[in-house]
Amino acid sequence: MENSGQVFDVIVIGAGVMGSSTAYHTAKRGLRTLLLEQFDFLHYRGSSHGESRTIRATYPEDYYSSMVLEASRLWEEAEAEAGYRVYFKTKQFDMGPSDNKSLLAVISSCRKNSIPIRVLNRDEVFEEFSGIFQLPEDWIGVVTELGGVIKPTKAVSMFQALALRSGAVLMDNSKVIGIAKDRETNEIVVLTGGEVGKYRCRKCIITAGAWTRKLIEKVRGLVVPIQPLETTVHYWKINEGHEGKFTIENGFPSFASYGEPYIYGTPSLEFPGLIKIPMHVGRPCEPEDRTWAAPTALVGVLQEWIKGRFGELVDIEKPVMTQSCMYSMTPDEDYVIDFLGGEFGEDAVVCGGFSGHGFKMAPVVGRVAAELVESGRAGGVDLRHFRIGRFDGNNCKGNVKDFDDQVKKSH
C-alpha cells in the first residue's frame, strides 16, 4: 500500500534526538517533512532516552567547541519556541593527571578556540568547590562556565512537538526496510513495515542511531564502521545532610575525569538525593542483542573513584539505580555527517556514529542536515572530519589523534 500520492520534500528516518531535531529544522524551513520511527516515540531502546545528558565545550579536538557554542544557543532558541526548559546550565569541571594527553589537549583546544578556562591545582579545586572534590597530588582541574544538563526524553519530545507545529508528519511503529531510487521520477522510495508501507520523497536523511550501519549496508552495500555499544548509567545515593552540595543551585558542575578509567557525572537534578556517576565504557553488541544488565565489574572501579573524589559525601555501598543505553561508535570517535553517495548521490544524508558525545549537538546536527538537503551545503561546521570516506582503504581508523580514546570497550 502506498500513501495518497504525496511526495515529501524530506523523509527523516529515526526519531531519536538527531532525527527529531532534523525534522524540526526541515519543517521550520517550509520543507514537507515526514519523520519515521521504527518503535514507539520516546522509546528506551536507543540513545535518546533518560533524564540527563551533559553539555560541555571542553573537547580535546579543535573542531567541536564551536559546535557546542552554537548548540547552546540553539537549545535556548528551541526552548523559547516551546515555552519550557530542557537545558539547565552550570559549570563544567574536567580533572585528571597533570600529564594526561587528553586533558592537556582539552586545555590547548579551549585556548585555541577562545573558550575561557581556569586551570587549577588540587588546593584551588578544593577551594573552588567548597571541599567537595578531592584530587590526588599530581592532578589538575579545568573549570569553564559552559556546562550543564539536558533532559533527553523531554528534549526529544520538544523537537517533535515543534516539528508538528511547523507542519511535519510524524509516524511511529514504521520500521524502514528499504530505500531505493526511482530512476523514472528521480524520487526516493522509502519502504516500511508499517500500515502504509511506501513513501516517496525528494531527499532522505538517515538518523537511525545504533541501526545506522545495518541500514546503510542494506540500501547501499557500503559498510560504515559504526559499532553499537551497550553502556550502563549508575546513580548513587548522596549521604544524608549533604544532598544540597551536589545541586546546580549550589554551584555543583557537570564533570569528567580523564585517565583510566574515564568517568563523568552530572549534578543531582532528575532524582533528588541521587547523583549520576557512570564510566565511559560499553560492550560491543547489536541493538537486538542487549543484556539490559549492569556489569558488576564496573561497580568496584566506580566505588573506588567516588570514594577518592567525594570521601564520605556519597554512599558507595552500591548504585541505587542503573539504566541501560546505547552508544554508536566510530573507530576515531568522530561523527558521520555526509551524503550517502552511490545511486543516491547528494539526495540522501547520513548522520550517525555520535560515539557517546552527540546528544548535546542535536540542534546543530539538525540544522546542518537540513541545510545539506535544502542546498547541498552547510555553513558553520567543518564537515571534513565527519566524511564517510575517511574510513576508505587502509585508513580504517579514520581521523588520526595523538591522545587516547575516551570510550573503552568491555567484554
Side-chain angles (χ1 to χ4, degrees):
M1 181 178 176
E2 189 168 352
N3 70 319
S4 57
Q6 181 177 11
V7 178
F8 292 95
D9 293 319
V10 184
I11 293 180
V12 182
I13 300 171
V17 72
M18 297 303 177
S20 299
S21 170
T22 297
Y24 156 65
H25 280 281
T26 55
K28 192 176 179 180
R29 284 167 166 73
L31 300 175
R32 289 169 295 181
T33 299
L34 171 63
L35 175 63
L36 296 173
E37 168 55 49
Q38 64 175 324
F39 304 120
D40 285 338
F41 288 133
L42 307 181
H43 65 83
Y44 272 59
R45 303 191 201 187
S47 308
S48 295
H49 61 277
E51 299 303 323
S52 60
R53 297 289 190 278
T54 58
I55 182 167
R56 59 183 170 89
T58 49
Y59 267 92
E61 299 89 349
D62 292 338
Y63 38 88
Y64 286 114
S65 295
S66 62
M67 293 178 67
V68 179
L69 295 177
E70 182 186 358
S72 177
R73 177 178 58 80
L74 293 179
W75 278 115
E76 292 182 291
E77 286 184 9
E79 286 181 320
E81 289 182 43
Y84 52 83
R85 294 177 67 193
V86 299
Y87 171 24
F88 299 82
K89 294 183 177 182
T90 188
K91 295 177 181 177
Q92 169 68 20
F93 176 53
D94 297 283
M95 69 194 101
S98 58
D99 61 352
N100 180 272
K101 286 186 177 181
S102 296
L103 186 55
L104 293 175
V106 166
I107 295 170
S108 174
S109 174
C110 286
R111 288 173 172 162
K112 180 178 179 180
N113 286 285
S114 301
I115 305 293
I117 60 171
R118 288 179 290 132
V119 180
L120 310 180
N121 62 35
R122 61 176 299 198
D123 295 332
E124 291 168 330
V125 166
F126 192 84
E127 183 176 348
E128 174 80 15
F129 295 108
S130 303
I132 297 177
F133 285 97
Q134 303 171 34
L135 301 191
E137 184 70 40
D138 61 340
W139 280 33
I140 58 173
V142 180
V143 179
T144 62
E145 295 301 316
L146 203 165
V149 180
I150 299 165
K151 292 196 170 184
T153 300
K154 188 178 181 183
V156 175
S157 176
M158 176 187 73
F159 283 131
Q160 291 175 1
L162 293 174
L164 274 170
R165 186 185 298 176
S166 292
V169 177
L170 278 62
M171 297 192 67
D172 62 359
N173 295 298
S174 300
K175 181 178 181 178
V176 171
I177 57 177
I179 308 171
K181 196 74 179 284
D182 186 326
R183 298 184 186 279
E184 291 185 7
T185 64
N186 207 34
E187 296 165 354
I188 293 175
V189 180
V190 177
L191 303 173
T192 77
E195 182 179 341
V196 173
K198 185 185 290 186
Y199 302 91
R200 290 179 174 269
C201 60
R202 294 182 175 85
K203 300 291 179 73
C204 174
I205 302 172
I206 298 172
T207 55
W211 291 265
T212 298
R213 184 192 68 209
K214 281 188 173 182
L215 183 58
I216 292 175
E217 186 173 3
K218 183 175 183 179
V219 304
R220 240 218 81 182
L222 177 68
V223 178
V224 179
I226 298 176
Q227 174 62 56
L229 296 188
E230 182 179 25
T231 187
T232 303
V233 172
H234 298 76
Y235 285 89
W236 307 80
K237 190 177 189 310
I238 302 166
N239 281 323
E240 189 174 352
H242 300 291
E243 295 90 346
K245 297 176 182 178
F246 291 86
T247 62
I248 289 176
E249 291 76 13
N250 283 327
F252 191 81
S254 48
F255 64 87
S257 178
Y258 286 81
E260 186 61 46
Y262 183 103
I263 290 171
Y264 67 98
T266 57
S268 180
L269 179 65
E270 57 266 40
F271 301 112
L274 304 185
I275 182 170
K276 185 173 87 170
I277 307 176
M279 283 175 61
H280 220 24
V281 64
R283 179 185 73 90
C285 68
E286 292 305 318
E288 302 81 14
D289 180 35
R290 295 170 66 174
T291 66
W292 300 92
T296 55
L298 301 182
V299 173
V301 178
L302 285 165
Q303 287 169 324
E304 182 179 354
W305 187 92
I306 294 168
K307 179 72 172 178
R309 301 295 80 74
F310 298 125
E312 301 301 321
L313 300 179
V314 177
D315 183 354
I316 63 168
E317 181 182 356
K318 62 180 181 180
V320 295
M321 185 186 303
T322 61
Q323 294 178 343
S324 178
C325 193
M326 295 292 290
Y327 290 166
S328 300
M329 303 299 302
T330 61
D332 54 14
E333 299 187 9
D334 285 326
Y335 307 158
V336 172
I337 305 174
D338 200 359
F339 297 112
L340 181 56
E343 67 172 325
F344 300 96
E346 295 189 356
D347 291 338
V349 170
V350 177
C351 301
F354 292 101
S355 300
H357 64 101
F359 197 99
K360 69 179 80 65
M361 303 290 200
V364 179
V365 173
R367 190 268 300 169
V368 167
E371 289 184 4
L372 288 176
V373 295
E374 187 177 43
S375 67
R377 301 176 58 188
V381 175
D382 187 350
L383 295 179
R384 290 177 301 170
H385 309 287
F386 308 139
R387 298 296 187 200
I388 293 175
R390 71 183 190 269
F391 302 114
D392 289 348
N394 296 324
N395 186 33
C396 59
K397 293 185 178 180
N399 297 320
V400 177
K401 304 179 184 183
D402 58 1
F403 47 83
D404 294 335
D405 292 342
Q406 304 306 312
V407 181
K408 303 301 180 184
K409 297 177 178 64
S410 62
H411 300 282

